[in-house]
Amino acid sequence: MNILVTGFEPFQNSQENPTQEIVRLLPKGIKGHKIIPLELPVLYKESFLKLRAEIEKHKPDVVICLGLAAGRKGITPERVAINVNDSKYPDNSGTVYFDEVIIEGSKNAYFSTLPIRDMISIMEEKHIDCSISNSAGLYVCNDIMYRLLHYIDENKLNIMAGFIHVPLMSEQDYKNNYHMPLTTILEGIIDSIKTCI
Ligand code: PCA
């Protein structure tokens, strides 16, 4: 299998994004399956277009997008992406959306097709803080998750796909928020990848 894993560059006032570190640290293969790492810009739509080009090139069986959710208390596989962009925070090009439909005429929501419950079980066994999240937010992460699942659905592709948010890492300025060592986040993500295999 080919497993495409994406991380985002830093955004807003942060100098670092643990998901960018994760994709740099992932092994080239897990249990004999190829891991394809991809770093993405924090841009509405553009990040998905970059991802789509890599999907067309590598024809992955699994796509897992990672993003930072500062303040989250653990690793949180997302259940659902909704067809709305709405955030007071600009993306890295300054674009802001309020009450904006992502894809006109498309479904209100798409569910992750990743084995999110199994991901929680395997991480809990290792005592890694985690839970299923029922909102990916309404910023760039929800945008890419929605567009990704819509693309797979429209093109009837046989790809397991979804999104996992991670917390701040202990190695960055976490401003009293919950944080987790980067090695623990990496372990949780590798375990999550294994559940897809
Ligand atoms: N987190 C943001 C966008 C990039 C990232 O890592 C989000 O949750 O939308």
Side-chain angles (χ1 to χ4, degrees):
M1 287 206 301
N2 282 344
I3 303 168
L4 180 53
V5 186
T6 74
F8 277 112
E9 66 183 0
F11 62 108
Q12 292 161 21
N13 299 322
S14 183
Q15 305 300 311
E16 288 152 313
N17 189 327
T19 65
Q20 185 175 51
E21 309 296 328
I22 297 288
V23 292
R24 290 177 181 175
L25 291 169
L26 280 173
K28 289 191 169 34
I30 295 177
K31 292 188 168 181
H33 301 280
K34 189 174 175 195
I35 303 297
I36 303 154
L38 175 65
E39 292 180 33
L40 294 171
V42 180
L43 299 173
Y44 287 109
K45 192 173 178 182
E46 292 296 317
S47 57
F48 170 68
L49 296 180
K50 200 171 166 194
L51 170 59
R52 191 178 69 186
E54 293 299 300
I55 293 174
E56 284 164 0
K57 185 169 154 197
H58 297 285
K59 309 252 181 295
D61 304 284
V62 180
V63 178
I64 303 176
C65 298
L66 306 174
L68 167 66
R72 286 268 173 95
K73 294 186 175 55
I75 298 175
T76 51
E78 297 293 343
R79 191 190 301 273
V80 60
I82 70 171
N83 195 8
V84 184
N85 281 335
D86 182 300
S87 174
K88 63 182 179 183
Y89 299 108
D91 72 4
N92 282 355
S93 69
T95 301
V96 176
Y97 287 122
F98 291 116
D99 304 326
E100 189 87 11
V101 173
I102 298 175
I103 300 177
E104 240 8 284
S106 178
K107 291 181 184 165
N108 290 336
Y110 280 105
F111 288 115
S112 172
T113 55
L114 298 176
I116 56 174
R117 183 63 65 190
D118 294 339
M119 289 176 173
I120 297 300
S121 305
I122 190 169
M123 286 191 277
E124 279 179 344
E125 269 173 32
K126 299 230 183 132
H127 305 288
I128 297 172
D129 288 346
C130 62
S131 59
I132 290 176
S133 161
N134 296 311
S135 172
L138 295 176
Y139 185 54
V140 176
C141 293
N142 175 73
D143 181 80
I144 197 169
M145 182 180 171
Y146 185 87
R147 289 180 189 277
L148 169 64
L149 293 168
H150 171 263
Y151 167 75
I152 291 169
D153 187 41
E154 288 285 293
N155 294 287
K156 302 194 174 16
L157 301 175
N158 189 17
I159 302 177
M160 199 188 272
F163 198 98
I164 304 176
H165 266 115
V166 310
L168 288 157
M169 58 179 170
S170 313
E171 292 80 357
Q172 75 189 119
D173 179 11
Y174 48 79
K175 299 190 187 75
N176 293 324
N177 275 302
Y178 176 98
H179 53 95
M180 198 182 250
L182 181 59
T183 49
T184 309
I185 303 178
L186 179 63
E187 192 187 341
I189 296 304
I190 290 176
D191 286 340
S192 299
I193 292 170
K194 285 182 185 162
T195 64
C196 300
I197 296 168

